[in-house]
């Protein structure tokens, strides 16, 4: 779980950018434990912003724009050690 508190978009602290909470997840498995012939093979899946939450990351009033937060992203990896 990642929590980011509210911030301000200007030096005068007039415009607040709201807080947000994001959930990330990871799962991994050692394939060699199930299939001995694949000893050394490791699979992993990482997901950020698991619930695909819409949020404003930050705002810059001097330039008059806001940055939206990253959408859900997944990364799968397979590694082998011999």
């Amino acid at each position: 779980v990642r929590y980011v508190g509210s911030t301000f978009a200007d030096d005068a602290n007039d415009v607040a950018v709201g807080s947000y909470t994001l959930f990330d997840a990871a799962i991994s498995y050692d394939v060699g434990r199930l299939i001995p012939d694949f000893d050394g093979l490791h699979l992993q899946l990482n997901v950020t912003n698991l619930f695909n939450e819409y949020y404003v990351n930050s705002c810059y009033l001097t330039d008059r724009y806001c940055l939206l937060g990253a959408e859900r992203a997944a990364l799968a990896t397979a590694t082998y050690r011999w």
Side-chain angles (χ1 to χ4, degrees):
V1 176
R2 292 184 284 150
Y3 172 78
V4 177
S6 62
T7 59
F8 289 96
D10 62 344
D11 292 336
N13 293 341
D14 290 332
V15 179
V17 177
S19 62
Y20 55 90
T21 303
L22 302 174
F23 293 84
D24 301 330
I27 187 168
S28 63
Y29 191 73
D30 180 4
V31 179
R33 293 187 66 158
L34 180 65
I35 307 168
D37 288 344
F38 289 101
D39 187 33
L41 179 62
H42 185 85
L43 304 176
Q44 185 165 334
L45 176 66
N46 294 44
V47 180
T48 56
N49 194 2
L50 184 63
F51 301 116
N52 204 24
E53 198 66 31
Y54 176 87
Y55 63 99
V56 175
N57 187 25
S58 58
C59 287
Y60 302 94
L61 287 187
T62 55
D63 297 329
R64 295 191 172 137
Y65 70 91
C66 291
L67 298 174
L68 296 180
E71 296 179 344
R72 178 188 308 128
L75 175 66
T77 58
T79 57
Y80 185 78
R81 291 185 183 209
W82 58 89

